[in-house]
Amino acid sequence: MLTHLVTPLLMCIGMGLAYLGAFAHPAPHHLPVAVVGSSRSAQLLAQSINDKAGGDLEVRTVAHRSTAVDQLKHQDIFGAYVPKGEGSGKGRGDAGEGNGQARVSGNAGAIGGARSAGGARSAGDAKSAGVGNAATPELLVATAASDTSASVVQKIFTPLAAQQGAPLKVTDVAPTADDDPTGQGIFFLLVAISIGSYASVAVIGGAGAVLPIRLRAALAVGTSFVVSLIGTAFAGPVFHLVDHGLWGLWGMAWLYSAGILLIGTGLHTFLKRWTTLGVMALFVMLNFTSSGGIFRPEMQNGFFAALHSFWNGAGFVEGVRSHVYFDGYGLSGHLWTLALWLVVGVLMVGVAALAERRRRSAEAEAAANAAAVAAAAVAATVPEPAPKPVRGPVDDGVEEELEEAVGV
């Protein structure tokens, strides 16, 4: 029995290392932000912040507020500070454009309010006019990209506004859905779809082990279809995590779930009872922590930041964000990530099919050899019957003579 405890203990160690390693000490690492303005003072401010950050931030200057809004909506930056007196006119990327209305908080002290981003959306929200206010410093954020990053950016720039003697106005140029104020509902949707997928692997691989692998693969694809429909129902009519784009979300959910199920089905051929631990390591320990659903890679260490660039959970989370909140910008790259993981799953099933075929051939050959050895052993222990005497022509003649004699 003690040997069966190895698996849960390894899960405990793996989950602890992964979650605490990824989430225990979040801190910005080269987090890109901007200072809006073309004046000498704006450039000096950006340089001063860069020098004090010591690599935590990458501060750039942009000439116009509209340019900063564009970069926020492309997730090139995660905050833009408009100093007092540096407001600019309306532009094509102003905050009023995009999927949702920009929301403004006129008081930086609303950190403990309705939004953890530190007041990026407060009870007194108002629609942004899309024009920088020269009398009040302003911070532009995009909470749909990351609520935690928006919170960190606000904590950085609030003291600067205080030095200018004015409250900081925070404008959210890409707000999330009303029923998902932190934007982290997409991450928990990822968790639900992942659990439904990798838990089904144990059933298909265990109870379905007697089935041909092509049938197990078909079951995996069918299960992924059901799991993706459940996830879409959660995101839409049940919890209203997104208010549009459900068909696109369903497509990404199916790609994501099918990849996990096919990879797990293929791995079961080789890992057997260790399959659950294997898929948990791939799709929980390394996956949830690198998805960007809680902290973006700019807030994590290099290991998880690197995983974010190609892991399937990051492809799903960032793909849904791009599709729902950022007009599909960068969506094709995230779709390619999900598609490549699905291809890996198909290849894994193919490799497993070859391995099982060879295994069956080897077992059949071993059974034939065992039967031959058994037959030889039986033949060696049973004596052969004595041969009958061979009669020649002389004996036949003598017999004929005796028959004639008896006849006489």
Side-chain angles (χ1 to χ4, degrees):
M1 183 187 73
L2 294 177
T3 57
H4 292 284
L5 292 174
V6 173
T7 298
L9 292 176
L10 289 176
M11 289 180 181
C12 176
I13 294 172
M15 295 288 281
L17 291 174
Y19 274 78
L20 295 177
F23 299 146
H25 300 289
H29 300 284
H30 304 286
L31 181 68
V33 296
V35 172
V36 177
S38 55
S39 65
R40 178 67 176 165
S41 61
Q43 295 174 0
L44 289 175
L45 176 61
Q47 185 61 49
S48 173
I49 297 172
N50 243 341
D51 293 341
K52 292 178 180 178
D56 293 342
L57 303 176
E58 287 185 358
V59 187
R60 67 186 73 172
T61 57
V62 295
H64 304 291
R65 183 181 185 278
S66 59
T67 304
V69 172
D70 278 341
Q71 293 188 10
L72 281 164
K73 291 184 176 182
H74 292 167
Q75 300 183 66
D76 295 327
I77 59 174
F78 295 93
Y81 181 70
V82 185
K84 185 177 179 180
E86 288 287 350
S88 62
K90 188 179 290 187
R92 63 184 176 86
D94 282 345
E97 299 175 3
N99 287 333
Q101 295 176 342
R103 311 197 182 195
V104 180
S105 170
N107 189 348
I111 294 178
R115 193 168 179 90
S116 63
R121 185 193 300 178
S122 69
D125 287 344
K127 185 176 180 179
S128 172
V131 180
N133 189 340
T136 305
E138 181 184 20
L139 179 64
L140 306 175
V141 295
T143 52
S146 174
D147 182 72
T148 51
S149 295
S151 178
V152 168
V153 169
Q154 184 166 344
K155 290 179 180 179
I156 292 171
F157 286 103
T158 296
L160 294 179
Q163 291 175 8
Q164 291 186 307
L168 180 65
K169 180 178 70 173
V170 181
T171 303
D172 188 352
V173 303
T176 57
D178 291 336
D179 290 323
D180 185 21
T182 66
Q184 294 177 3
I186 295 174
F187 169 75
F188 294 108
L189 176 64
L190 169 79
V191 173
I193 295 173
S194 301
I195 292 176
S197 301
Y198 78 74
S200 299
V201 168
V203 177
I204 294 173
V210 296
L211 299 175
I213 193 165
R214 65 180 181 275
L215 292 182
R216 279 178 276 154
L219 281 173
V221 173
T223 303
S224 67
F225 180 77
V226 176
V227 169
S228 63
L229 287 178
I230 294 173
T232 304
F234 285 156
V238 178
F239 293 107
H240 307 287
L241 302 178
V242 300
D243 50 16
H244 66 280
L246 278 179
W247 282 110
L249 185 148
W250 168 77
M252 285 181 275
W254 179 81
L255 282 172
Y256 174 75
S257 178
I260 292 176
L261 275 154
L262 289 175
I263 290 173
T265 299
L267 284 176
H268 189 271
T269 298
F270 306 98
L271 299 182
K272 299 299 183 184
R273 72 184 187 92
W274 299 102
T275 303
T276 300
L277 179 62
V279 294
M280 283 194 68
L282 288 174
F283 304 118
V284 176
M285 300 174 191
L286 299 179
N287 190 28
F288 295 170
T289 51
S290 64
S291 67
I294 302 297
F295 297 113
R296 281 192 55 83
E298 295 85 3
M299 296 292 296
Q300 296 184 298
N301 60 46
F303 175 73
F304 293 102
L307 291 181
H308 181 85
S309 63
F310 64 92
W311 218 256
N312 61 341
F316 177 78
V317 170
E318 299 295 351
V320 172
R321 283 173 174 168
S322 174
H323 173 61
V324 175
Y325 297 122
F326 296 101
D327 296 325
Y329 183 81
L331 178 60
S332 60
H334 304 310
L335 291 177
W336 274 112
T337 298
L338 295 174
L340 288 174
W341 278 82
L342 179 61
V343 170
V344 171
V346 173
L347 293 176
M348 182 62 68
V349 169
V351 171
L354 291 175
E356 290 185 6
R357 184 181 301 172
R358 291 180 179 177
R359 187 180 300 169
R360 287 193 299 270
S361 299
E363 290 174 352
E365 184 178 353
N369 291 337
V373 170
V378 170
T381 55
V382 177
E384 295 183 1
K388 293 181 179 181
V390 180
R391 288 186 273 183
V394 175
D395 296 331
D396 292 340
V398 172
E399 187 176 358
E400 290 177 358
E401 291 179 359
L402 290 173
E403 289 177 353
E404 294 176 355
V406 172
V408 173

